[in-house]
Amino acid sequence: MAASKDVHVQICSQEIVKYDLEIKALIQDIRECPGPHSELADLNAKVKEKFHQLRGRIQDLEQMAKEQDKESEKLALLNEMENHRKQMLSNQTAWRKANLACTLAIDNSEKDNLLRGGSSSVRQRKTTKESLVQTSGEITESLLSISRMMSQQVQQSEETMHTLVILSCQTCWKLMKEFKAMTGTIQLGRKLITKYNRREFTDKLLFPFI
């Protein structure tokens, strides 16, 4: 019966040591966790489960110590149980510190990412704004250029019309002068013809037999 108790005590002690080592490994994983918070939450859930198992085995060891027949063995197991309990409390303190440090590190990392993303968005908006301003300036310059071209064309058209009017007036003036000259010539010719006819008629009267 004593041998059977010793076996159970050894198994319990070994499981306590195993849980203790697993908890320490998980705490180290928490210290090195880069995030996100969901991954940290998964690690914390595993740690809680290991602490629950460890606490249960420590209570089992305490109960086994109380059942020991020999006072010396009872005191030895109670002393071992107390050491395991202190180690568990130390692990809980280390767990809280690691969890706090990891949480702060993840928060700071997320803030940095948000700031970098915000700066990128600001730069992108600034670039877009500058691009719009540049495009607007180019459109305005293009419209001004078109306006200047149209103004020049209108001015050229006005000058052309003015020249045509002047040329037309000059042409009309020349035609009028030529027409007056031709009219004068025709009238002169008519006078000469009339004068000639009169002379011829006079000559016939004066010299009927010639």
Side-chain angles (χ1 to χ4, degrees), residues 33-41 102 106 110:
C33 178
H37 285 290
S38 58
E39 183 176 348
L40 177 61
C102 183
I106 293 174
E110 290 180 350

Side-chain angles (χ1 to χ4, degrees), residues 8-180:
H8 287 297
V9 169
Q10 290 177 1
I11 292 174
C12 183
S13 297
Q14 290 174 358
E15 289 183 350
I16 289 173
V17 172
K18 183 187 74 168
Y19 293 141
D20 177 72
L21 293 175
E22 290 176 347
I23 288 171
K24 283 180 169 62
L26 287 170
I27 292 173
Q28 185 61 33
D29 290 340
I30 290 175
R31 291 193 184 101
E32 299 173 355
C33 178
H37 285 290
S38 58
E39 183 176 348
L40 177 61
D42 292 339
L43 290 172
N44 283 328
K46 292 178 182 179
V47 172
K48 289 179 182 178
E49 179 63 24
K50 293 301 178 182
F51 270 120
H52 177 73
Q53 293 172 343
L54 176 61
R55 190 177 296 108
R57 296 309 284 163
I58 290 175
Q59 290 174 353
D60 292 341
L61 184 61
E62 182 181 13
Q63 183 63 33
M64 290 178 187
K66 292 178 180 180
E67 293 174 356
Q68 293 298 316
D69 295 332
K70 294 181 180 181
E71 190 67 22
S72 59
E73 293 179 354
K74 178 180 180 179
L75 292 175
L77 287 176
L78 288 174
N79 185 56
E80 180 183 352
M81 181 273 299
E82 187 62 27
N83 289 334
H84 288 314
R85 191 186 297 267
K86 289 180 180 178
Q87 186 60 48
M88 181 182 69
L89 294 174
S90 177
N91 286 337
Q92 287 177 338
T93 301
W95 174 40
R96 285 193 294 270
K97 290 181 179 179
N99 194 57
L100 179 60
C102 183
T103 300
L104 291 174
I106 293 174
D107 288 342
N108 290 333
S109 177
E110 290 180 350
K111 288 179 182 178
D112 290 340
N113 290 334
L114 287 174
L115 289 175
R116 285 196 295 270
S119 299
S120 177
S121 298
V122 170
R123 288 194 298 271
Q124 185 176 2
R125 287 195 297 270
K126 183 178 180 181
T127 301
T128 303
K129 183 178 180 180
E130 290 176 352
S131 178
L132 289 174
V133 170
Q134 182 179 357
T135 302
S136 178
E138 292 175 353
I139 293 174
T140 301
E141 182 62 28
S142 178
L143 291 174
L144 289 174
S145 178
I146 293 172
S147 177
R148 286 193 295 268
M149 290 177 61
M150 292 179 66
S151 177
Q152 291 175 357
Q153 290 179 352
V154 170
Q155 184 177 359
Q156 290 177 356
S157 298
E158 290 178 350
E159 291 176 354
T160 301
M161 289 296 297
H162 182 67
T163 302
L164 289 174
V165 169
I166 292 174
L167 291 175
S168 297
C169 291
Q170 291 177 350
T171 302
C172 291
W173 179 252
K174 289 180 180 180
L175 290 174
M176 288 177 65
K177 288 177 67 177
E178 292 178 357
F179 179 75
K180 287 181 179 180

Side-chain angles (χ1 to χ4, degrees), residues 183-202:
T183 302
T185 302
I186 292 172
Q187 289 178 352
L188 180 60
R190 183 175 299 167
K191 289 180 179 180
L192 290 174
I193 292 172
T194 302
K195 186 177 181 180
Y196 176 77
N197 289 333
R198 287 177 180 175
R199 179 65 178 273
E200 184 180 6
F201 179 73
T202 302

